Structures are given as C-alpha cells and as structure tokens.
Amino acid sequence: MLTMKQNTLKSWQVVLLVTTVMSLCLAVIVFLTRPTQDQTLLFTVTLFSLANISILSVSLFQLSAITPRIRHLTRCVQRWSNGDLNTRNKMGEHGELGELEVELNHMFSRLQESSAKAEENQKSILSKNYLLSAILNSAAAAIYGVDENGRCIFANPQCVKLLGYRSEEQLIACNMRSLVHQNPDDDRAIMSSISKQDNRDIHLKEDHFWRADGSSFPVEYWSHPMTFNNEKMGAVISFHDNSERLEAEALIRHQAHYDALTDLPNRFLALRRLEQLVESTERSGKMLAVIFLDLDDFKKINDSLGHEAGDQLLITAADRLTKATRKEDTVGRLGGDEFIILLDGLSSADDAQPLAENLIGGFRKPFYIDNRQLILTASIGIAIYPNDGKTPSELLRNADSAMYHTKSIGRNTYSYFTHAMNKEVSRRLAIEEQIHGALERGELQVHYQIQLDIRDGSIMGAEALLRWDNPVLGSVSPAEFIPIAEQTGVIEPMGEFILHRALRAAQTWQKVFNDNFRIAINLSPRQFRNPNLVQLITDSVNQLGMRPEDLELEITEGVLLSGHAYTLDALMALSKAGFCISMDDFGTGYSSLSYLRTYPFQILKIDRSFIKDMNTDGTSKELIIATIEMAHALGIRVIAEGVETQEQLDELSFMMCDYAQGFLISKPVVFDDLLKIGEHYKRSAKIEFKPHIETVEDKPVKTYG
C-alpha cells in the first residue's frame, strides 16, 4: 500500500508540472493572438491563467510539505521490517506505525482533494480557450497576427474571406507583406507598429489591401504591437472592407454638388466654379462670360401639364444646353427653370454672341413630352468679366439684370448687360422693399375713372384703380408695382382693400344720385388661389345691402392661362350669383376667342392700343368692328378703353359700341372729384339729383392684410 501511494505521489507531481507548463503556454498564445479591439477578453484570459498557476503552486507547496512525512514513514516501515519499531504502545493500541499510517491516509486524502481541484481548473481553462477561439472566429472584423518578420501566425475566418483565400492554412507562415501589400512600401505603417513600445498607441488608418485574385479594395485598419516580458513579438492587425462607406461618401458629395433632376452642377458648385474662373481669368488677362438663361412661360406649362411633365422638360432642356456648349464650358442649374453657362478664355465680349444665338436656336425645335408637342423659348442675359463686374456675385447679378431686360423686350432673345439695366433692377428691389407695409402706412388710394354709356351719354359706372404714393419712391405706376405685388403675394390684401372701398363708393353714388351705378374692380390671378374668394366678395356686397349686379369683376387673360379648375369654378359661381364678369385687354392675348365659349363673360373691354390707332390704321379699325359684331352676336356688351378724342368717340358710336372709358370722359380721380364730375354730367343732362352727402372717404374703412 505504501508503495502504491508513493507511485501516486510521483504521478501527481508529473500532472502538476504538465498543468503549469500548459497554463504558461496558454498565456503566451493569448498574447500572440489577442484582438486589438477586445482588451477585456485579453485581460480576463490572462488573469485566469495567472490564477491557475497560483493554484498549482499551492498544490506543489502542499506536496513539498507531505514529502518529509512520506520519507519518515518509509524509514518506519524499514525499521518495522527489521524488528526495530514498536507496533504497540502501553495502552495495547497500535504504536508509532499506526499513527504514521493514519497520518499518511489523511495526507493522501488532502492530495486527492487537490487533484480534483486541479482537474476542475484544467477543464475551466480548456473551456475558456474554446470560448476565446469562438469569439475570434465570430468577430465581424478581419483579424490577423504577424511576427517580427511579417509572417502570419494567426488569421480569423473573416480575414480569410475578405482576402479571398479558402482556409487559414493558406495564410499561416506566409509573408503578409507580399500577400496584402503588393508594393513593399505600403506596409511601412503596419510594420512600424512592431517597434513601438506603447501598446496604447493605436491609430486608425486607410489603405488598399490586395486579394488572392489580384484585385484590390479599400480598407480601414488598426495595427497594434505585441510584446511579452518587454520583448517584441510582432503585431496584430484588424481591418474591414471600406468600399461601402467610401461609395456612400462619394454619393453624398455628388448630391451636394449636382442637381438631382438634371445632374448638372447645382448653384453651389456653379458659383464655386465661377470663383475659380474669375481668379484664373484675372491672371490670364482674358475675358469671362456669365450667361443667365431662363425658360419663358415654364410655370404655365408646369401648372397645366403637371410637375412630372415639367421635370421631363427641364431634363430635356438641360441636355440641349449641354450639347450646345463646349466640353470646357460649365453648364449649371441655379434652381427652378434658371440655368447658368460659364465661358472662359474669351478675347472679346462678342465671342459670347455665337453661343447665345446657338442656345436660343436650340429651343426652336419642339419638345415632345407625354405625346405632346411643346414650343418653349428662352431669355438670356450676358455679363462679361471684367467689364460688367469683377466679383462672382456682381457678375451673376448683372447677368440676371440683363435676362430680365430680355423678358421685358419680348423674350426669346439675348441681351448684354448695360448700366441702365442696373437702375431697373435697383428700382425693382426698392419697390419690393417698400411695398410691404404700404397698405398699413396708408400710402394706397383708390381712384375712379368714369365709364360712359355711348348710346345716351349717361354715366353707367366707373372703374376702381389702385394708386401708390411712397415717400421714398414717389408716385409708383401700377404697371410697376402690380406685377411685383402679384409675385410677392401683397396683391391679396390690396384686393380686399380696393373691393371694400369700391363698394362703399358705389353705395354712396347711388344714394347721392338715386340711380344705378356699377363699380368695376380687377381680380388678379393670385386672388383666385384663395378658396374663399367667392364667399369674400358675396359677403362684402351683402353687408352693404347692395346687389351683385352693382359689381363688375374684370379679369385678364393671365387669370385664364393656367387652366386651373378652381378658376373656372369661381367664375361660374360668381356669374351664377349675379355678378358681372368682364374680360379686360381683349385682343392682346393668343386664345381670347376660345375663352368666350368657356367662361361666362358679359362684357369685353377692347384694349387701348386698338383705340389709339383706329383713325390712322385701317386694320385696327376693322378689328374693332369685328370684335363688336362678334360680341353682340354672343350677347356680350363692349367697352372701349383709352378714348381720348371726340373723333374716336364718334367712330365708336357709329360702330354701335356700348360703353366708353378714357381721358376724353374723365381721368382717374379720387372719390370726391368723382362726385363733382357726376354733378356736372347730371346738370348737363338736366337730371335732378340729391345734395352732396357724406362720402366714402369721410368714413373709416377697415383695411385687410
């Protein structure tokens, strides 16, 4: 039995020694293969290895404590075999040999307990090792380790996959410099990390790695030196494919600099390019042309056919602009239907003219959108560096001014910038600035121009006209401020203001002269966007106890061009309610005759341009006669605008025109003067009328907006 226990003791000594060596090896392997991105796992495994070594050391210490006792027991057995050891004591019990045997059994029990603990620790170590391998193999990042010579000592499956190999064995012991970096200089950053002593020195880097098939791909990687006992052992590199991130960044950069619809440079990139060209042109001494192009009446097409058709039209227009220019020229979209073309290297300002004519010519061909053939023209403004400006913003502003001048002279052409255009733009900006708040400041007034019944010479009504006197701008013509008010939206509160003033004026006239009197006001296209327009007009008339036929609503062709259903619905509702609907400036549009069949017009107003030339131009005279006869055939009455001579009035009377309006009869006047004119006409016709009573101007009128 003693011999067996001695053999068991020797066996455990061997087991403890082997376990200690395995723990040390595991620690070294962890240091060689630890991932740079998981320091917690590295620390855990290292601490576990140290704890295991400590437990084994305690076990060895216990064995060393047992060994003297074993030796003593061996000597006792030898003495007993020689008859020198007492086996019984005085009490008749077992002597010294018995005591030693009991103690030996106790020591072997303790040794068995230590053995069980060591076996349990060994199983835990193996379990931790399997867990570490599973984590590394499941990591999303690709990880590989190299020794000081750059040879691969570890590669996880993600690394093998990204580099295009079949298994880890194809990488182990291979020189990663030649596999991953075809250019030996490319891996300096990685291998230099081996020589660094500070393990915390981890830097994110970008590079290109090469696959097994010879293709390359962008990567983002980290490299970290490996040391053990202050000795350099190699480096650990973790990386991932950076292709998707770089593609996303490139897409974002493209979207930030190029128009999403036409793929032309957007406003930001075009202006940046203009800045660069100004700098280079200044050094070269050449000239630079900035061409500002705007599509004519694009909004009408966009509103009538829909935004999808409008987008397709813009794409086609951008393609035509690109084909009409040189490769070195810049064509950009500033927004909406506005484009910019930059030409550099010009010897003179005239060098831009051929391209401008070519651009205009490119729009003469029809556009085919949704099986429709559309004709679209363009207006162009040209500014030249350094003649028309020395900064990008000044050049762009002046080219824009030239483009607006082109619009004003008839469109479908081009204009070079002049300083006179600058004054026009400055005037427009000043009007835009001052028109806001003009109503609240009391700068707007309503003037009235009499409309005469040609058949009997009586006053049948008047047209209410808006006038604006500004302390900064002076008297501003309606031709100037009405379009701007329309564009800025100020026209809506102005429309309500003139509606209430006009109705009060008509009410006062009827009370003063005790006869019928119809007041006419203009409705702008912007007002028809208000879904409450019909209700607003109806309520305003009812509140004053007046009749709908006392109010005439004048609209221009611009109201009808959009073709919106709500415009027709509003006009039909107003006509059904009893209001008089008239078409203003008849004869100046393109499709006026077709509108007479669709909309409920009761009156046509012949434009003043025809009346002006009727006594000198036979064509104008014939057109007036034809218009009057056509209108009467349709049951529509006719008003002639701009009557300034008695000869014109006599001719209109002979043509059977119904009403006349113009300076011959009366200029636009304030309401008090209108009443005086009415008194004069009544006296001339010997018609009795009531004395003057409180006028509309004497009463407070609520303003809107």
Side-chain angles (χ1 to χ4, degrees):
M1 178 180 176
L2 183 59
T3 302
M4 180 185 66
K5 291 183 177 182
Q6 287 178 321
N7 293 335
T8 302
L9 178 61
K10 291 180 181 181
S11 299
W12 274 110
Q13 288 176 335
V14 173
V15 170
L16 292 174
L17 179 61
V18 170
T19 304
T20 301
V21 172
M22 288 179 64
S23 297
L24 290 174
C25 291
L26 176 62
V28 172
I29 292 172
V30 168
F31 271 100
L32 290 177
T33 62
R34 70 180 185 272
T36 58
Q37 293 175 303
D38 198 348
Q39 298 296 329
T40 302
L41 178 61
L42 173 64
F43 176 77
T44 302
V45 175
T46 303
L47 182 62
F48 176 80
S49 299
L50 293 176
N52 189 54
I53 293 173
S54 300
I55 294 173
L56 295 175
S57 299
V58 171
S59 300
L60 289 175
F61 176 77
Q62 291 177 343
L63 287 175
S64 63
I66 294 175
T67 301
R69 295 180 179 272
I70 296 298
R71 290 175 181 171
H72 175 66
L73 181 60
T74 302
R75 288 194 299 269
C76 289
V77 171
Q78 290 176 350
R79 290 169 55 196
W80 175 71
S81 62
N82 294 331
D84 297 331
L85 183 66
N86 293 327
T87 58
R88 299 277 181 175
N89 56 19
K90 296 179 181 181
M91 299 296 297
E93 298 175 351
H94 291 287
E96 185 177 359
L97 180 60
E99 294 177 358
L100 289 176
E101 185 175 4
V102 171
E103 184 175 356
L104 182 61
N105 290 332
H106 179 66
M107 287 188 296
F108 268 95
S109 296
R110 291 172 59 189
L111 181 60
Q112 289 175 352
E113 291 177 2
S114 298
S115 174
K117 290 181 179 181
E119 183 177 358
E120 182 179 353
N121 290 337
Q122 182 66 20
K123 291 180 179 179
S124 178
I125 291 172
L126 293 176
S127 176
K128 293 291 184 181
N129 190 27
Y130 292 147
L131 177 62
L132 176 61
S133 298
I135 291 174
L136 291 176
N137 292 337
S138 302
I143 305 171
Y144 70 90
V146 295
D147 60 16
E148 289 184 283
N149 297 319
R151 291 189 299 269
C152 181
I153 59 176
F154 172 79
N156 73 343
Q158 184 67 3
C159 172
V160 175
K161 177 182 177 181
L162 288 183
L163 293 180
Y165 291 90
R166 292 189 302 273
S167 64
E168 179 184 1
E169 287 71 20
Q170 290 183 289
L171 293 175
I172 297 299
C174 292
N175 192 314
M176 296 300 287
R177 301 184 189 182
S178 59
L179 292 181
V180 176
H181 305 280
Q182 291 192 355
N183 184 354
D185 295 334
D186 291 343
D187 66 333
R188 289 181 180 177
I190 294 179
M191 299 312 298
S192 63
S193 65
I194 298 178
S195 62
K196 294 181 179 179
Q197 298 299 321
D198 189 0
N199 289 347
R200 295 171 298 177
D201 189 8
I202 304 176
H203 297 286
L204 177 65
K205 307 175 185 70
E206 293 187 8
D207 202 345
H208 277 77
F209 282 5
W210 294 83
R211 301 186 182 91
D213 60 4
S215 62
S216 65
F217 63 103
V219 297
E220 202 171 46
Y221 71 92
W222 296 261
S223 61
H224 193 284
M226 288 194 307
T227 59
F228 186 74
N229 292 334
N230 294 325
E231 293 184 6
K232 294 172 290 185
M233 302 184 62
V236 174
I237 298 90
S238 60
F239 66 92
H240 63 82
D241 191 339
N242 207 23
S243 301
E244 290 186 3
R245 184 179 70 84
L246 293 180
E247 290 174 1
E249 290 178 353
L251 178 61
I252 292 173
R253 284 194 300 270
H254 185 84
Q255 292 174 342
H257 293 88
Y258 289 85
D259 178 57
L261 181 64
T262 63
D263 205 37
L264 293 177
N266 60 13
R267 186 181 189 90
F268 173 80
L269 183 58
L271 295 184
R272 185 176 179 183
R273 176 62 175 160
L274 178 57
E275 292 177 359
Q276 297 170 347
L277 290 177
V278 167
E279 294 177 1
S280 62
T281 303
E282 183 180 8
R283 292 190 299 267
S284 66
K286 295 284 188 178
M287 288 186 173
L288 166 68
V290 178
I291 298 178
F292 199 107
L293 184 145
D294 183 88
L295 303 181
D296 297 329
D297 294 326
F298 172 75
K299 186 177 184 302
K300 296 176 182 177
I301 296 176
N302 200 34
D303 291 343
S304 59
L305 299 183
H307 291 287
E308 292 184 1
D311 289 347
Q312 188 60 44
L313 191 61
L314 289 173
I315 294 172
T316 307
D319 183 63
R320 291 190 183 184
L321 293 177
T322 303
K323 292 179 179 178
T325 55
R326 304 171 300 179
K327 290 184 179 180
E328 59 267 26
D329 298 333
T330 298
V331 179
R333 184 187 177 200
L334 297 178
D337 60 342
E338 295 179 340
F339 297 86
I340 186 174
I341 299 96
L342 306 178
L343 312 176
D344 64 332
L346 304 182
S347 301
S348 68
D350 294 336
D351 291 345
Q353 181 176 349
L355 177 61
E357 293 176 348
N358 195 22
L359 293 173
I360 295 296
F363 285 86
R364 292 196 178 102
K365 298 179 181 179
F367 290 82
Y368 294 93
I369 307 297
D370 293 338
N371 297 323
R372 292 173 178 261
Q373 179 176 311
L374 304 176
I375 302 297
L376 189 68
T377 60
S379 296
I380 289 178
I382 305 173
I384 303 296
Y385 173 89
N387 302 348
D388 302 328
K390 295 186 178 180
T391 64
S393 59
E394 188 178 6
L395 288 168
L396 187 64
R397 183 174 62 252
N398 292 340
D400 189 22
S401 301
M403 185 274 296
Y404 272 107
H405 177 75
T406 303
K407 296 272 191 185
S408 66
I409 63 175
R411 307 182 177 187
N412 193 27
T413 186
Y414 63 91
S415 301
Y416 280 89
F417 172 77
T418 64
H419 290 285
M421 298 175 187
N422 228 0
K423 294 181 181 179
E424 294 177 8
V425 175
S426 299
R427 172 76 172 177
R428 178 184 176 86
L429 293 175
I431 292 175
E432 288 182 3
E433 179 182 1
Q434 293 295 322
I435 202 170
H436 292 284
L439 188 60
E440 290 77 5
R441 294 191 298 267
E443 297 173 2
L444 296 174
Q445 284 187 326
V446 180
H447 286 201
Y448 304 89
Q449 189 173 30
I450 285 177
Q451 295 175 338
L452 191 70
D453 191 328
I454 299 177
R455 296 167 295 185
D456 58 13
S458 64
I459 297 175
M460 49 77 62
E463 181 180 5
L465 303 169
L466 200 59
R467 295 293 182 262
W468 180 26
D469 286 318
N470 179 264
V472 176
L473 303 173
S475 180
V476 185
S477 167
E480 281 189 297
F481 75 81
I482 292 297
I484 296 176
E486 178 79 21
Q487 293 173 6
T488 58
V490 181
I491 195 66
E492 293 191 47
M494 286 183 176
E496 293 187 33
F497 168 76
I498 196 171
L499 170 64
H500 288 84
R501 283 295 178 92
L503 288 174
R504 293 290 294 274
Q507 183 187 49
T508 303
W509 179 285
Q510 291 174 0
K511 289 180 180 179
V512 170
F513 299 110
N514 193 27
D515 64 356
N516 294 329
F517 184 85
R518 184 172 64 222
I519 194 73
I521 65 170
N522 287 277
L523 292 180
S524 74
R526 185 68 176 256
Q527 289 177 275
F528 279 90
R529 299 183 189 178
N530 183 359
N532 299 319
L533 177 63
V534 176
Q535 191 65 43
L536 171 67
I537 296 174
T538 304
D539 291 345
S540 299
V541 171
N542 293 335
Q543 287 172 4
L544 293 176
M546 301 182 67
R547 303 170 303 169
E549 53 264 32
D550 294 332
L551 181 62
E552 177 184 332
L553 303 172
E554 297 183 5
I555 64 171
T556 62
E557 188 179 4
V559 175
L560 310 176
L561 282 175
S562 64
H564 289 304
Y566 58 73
T567 302
L568 177 60
D569 293 341
L571 290 175
M572 288 297 185
L574 290 169
S575 179
K576 186 176 181 180
F579 294 98
C580 179
I581 310 296
S582 67
M583 173 178 277
D584 197 9
D585 300 332
F586 183 81
T588 60
Y590 299 101
S591 306
S592 298
L593 293 178
S594 65
Y595 296 143
L596 298 180
R597 298 185 306 168
T598 307
Y599 296 93
F601 293 111
Q602 299 175 26
I603 293 179
L604 291 185
K605 298 188 73 174
I606 300 177
D607 186 67
R608 65 183 66 249
S609 62
F610 293 96
I611 305 301
K612 179 181 178 182
D613 299 330
M614 64 181 294
N615 293 326
T616 58
D617 184 6
T619 303
S620 296
K621 187 174 182 179
E622 294 298 327
L623 287 173
I624 294 173
I625 295 174
T627 300
I628 294 173
E629 292 180 351
M630 176 193 65
H632 286 170
L634 296 173
I636 299 174
R637 289 161 289 172
V638 180
I639 297 178
E641 287 187 300
V643 178
E644 299 181 356
T645 67
Q646 186 64 44
E647 185 181 5
Q648 292 172 345
L649 184 60
D650 293 340
E651 286 284 347
L652 291 169
S653 177
F654 179 77
M655 296 175 185
M656 302 298 292
C657 184
D658 299 288
Y659 311 115
Q661 177 182 343
F663 283 3
L664 175 66
I665 303 164
S666 168
K667 294 182 179 180
V669 295
V670 297
F671 185 70
D672 284 343
D673 292 339
L674 177 67
L675 289 178
K676 294 177 182 179
I677 294 173
E679 292 175 1
H680 173 73
Y681 269 89
K682 295 295 184 181
R683 288 195 188 101
S684 300
K686 297 181 181 181
I687 298 177
E688 183 180 355
F689 61 92
K690 294 181 180 180
H692 177 74
I693 63 173
E694 185 181 31
T695 69
V696 66
E697 300 297 339
D698 298 326
K699 294 183 178 180
V701 178
K702 180 180 178 182
T703 60
Y704 295 82

